[in-house]
Amino acid sequence: MVSSGSADWTPGEVAVSGGQLAYHRTGGDGPPLVLSHGLTDNGLCWTRLAEALAPDFDIIMLDARGHGASSRVGPGDAVDPVRDLAEAVEALGLTRVLVMGHSVGARASAGFAATFPDRVRALVLEDPPLVPPMTPEARARRLQTFREQVARFRSMTEAELRAFGMRQSPSWDPAEFPAWVQSKRQVDAEALPLLNSAWQEDFRGIRSPTLLIHGESDRGSMVSPEQAREACELNPVIRSVRIPGAGHNVRRENFADVLLAVRSFLAEV
């Protein structure tokens, strides 16, 4: 079992269409900040960043559907992260929230901000996959690859998973691995979400101040310099920052620079 971070963090769950989403919440008097994790992670994978920001924000770390302790996803079940995020925010009674997402969680956060612009105060997007919508054939291939990846995770012991993670990501702080290991043993093989909309469509619809954080393409970032420029040209509320020495897992690979960028941006808004 992984620690839930600070001893006074509150676990809970909220009802969403066809199930529930689990979360951990830091509490406090600061403005609410909702964190949406990436594929195969869970909410507690935000622990290191949440601990750093908790003195100033009331942080809610959601487990996406099919991840963590949230409702499971079976064969043929549709996964709509935008709807889930919107319903969770509403069920928690939050208004004008700050939202930060990583990877597919960043795409969900962008879709939420575009669909419900009056409910988002500001938005931070950590290396969203700026890829075109999948064809049915491409999605079938991607889902099969994902199922095989989850099967590999499930075949490993916790010790083997940790060793695998540390070999794969030797630059990560050791504090990242307990939640990362736990999350890989929780994810469903059918939890791959649909990315049906073009990312440009969602980005055009955002009305809140937005920080796009990305790494370096040759290190695995899913946002190229050209796409970062396109995003800023599409919508004047978007600014971007490239974090050196990082790939797709930007905050895990250069925590200090990401924390500085996020703190500075949130202080402005």
Side-chain angles (χ1 to χ4, degrees), residues 51-75:
E51 288 176 339
L53 297 177
D56 300 310
F57 300 93
D58 173 14
I59 300 174
I60 299 98
M61 295 160 278
L62 294 169
D63 289 348
R65 192 184 297 255
H67 296 72
S70 290
S71 289
R72 310 328 302 170
V73 177

Side-chain angles (χ1 to χ4, degrees), residues 201-258:
E201 178 183 333
D202 288 338
F203 277 42
R204 284 192 190 98
I206 296 170
R207 294 293 174 264
S208 306
T210 298
L211 179 64
L212 172 62
I213 296 174
H214 65 98
E216 302 176 18
S217 296
D218 59 359
R219 290 178 176 265
S221 174
M222 300 187 75
V223 180
S224 69
E226 295 75 21
Q227 288 174 318
R229 285 195 294 272
E230 181 182 358
C232 295
E233 291 167 358
L234 280 171
N235 193 329
V237 304
I238 300 173
R239 71 182 80 167
S240 71
V241 58
R242 174 180 171 273
I243 303 295
H248 181 54
N249 288 280
V250 192
R251 72 181 187 280
R252 286 160 161 158
E253 294 164 9
N254 189 340
F255 183 79
D257 282 4
V258 169

Side-chain angles (χ1 to χ4, degrees), residues 108-192:
S109 299
F112 171 55
T115 306
F116 303 96
D118 59 332
R119 296 170 64 181
V120 178
R121 182 175 173 185
L123 182 64
V124 180
L125 305 174
E126 180 191 352
D127 216 66
L130 301 186
V131 295
M134 292 184 186
T135 64
E137 295 78 16
R139 173 169 169 75
R141 291 193 298 270
R142 177 69 181 92
L143 181 56
Q144 183 56 35
T145 300
F146 182 71
R147 288 169 176 155
E148 293 168 0
Q149 179 185 22
V150 172
R152 286 195 299 273
F153 290 153
R154 290 182 177 174
S155 72
M156 297 181 190
T157 65
E158 288 190 14
E160 289 169 339
L161 267 171
R162 182 182 179 89
F164 169 75
M166 294 183 75
R167 287 195 305 271
Q168 179 179 258
S169 306
S171 67
W172 291 13
D173 188 279
E176 297 286 356
F177 288 104
W180 182 89
V181 168
Q182 183 195 48
S183 70
K184 302 304 172 278
R185 298 174 66 83
Q186 293 173 320
V187 63
D188 288 337
E190 306 297 323
L192 186 70

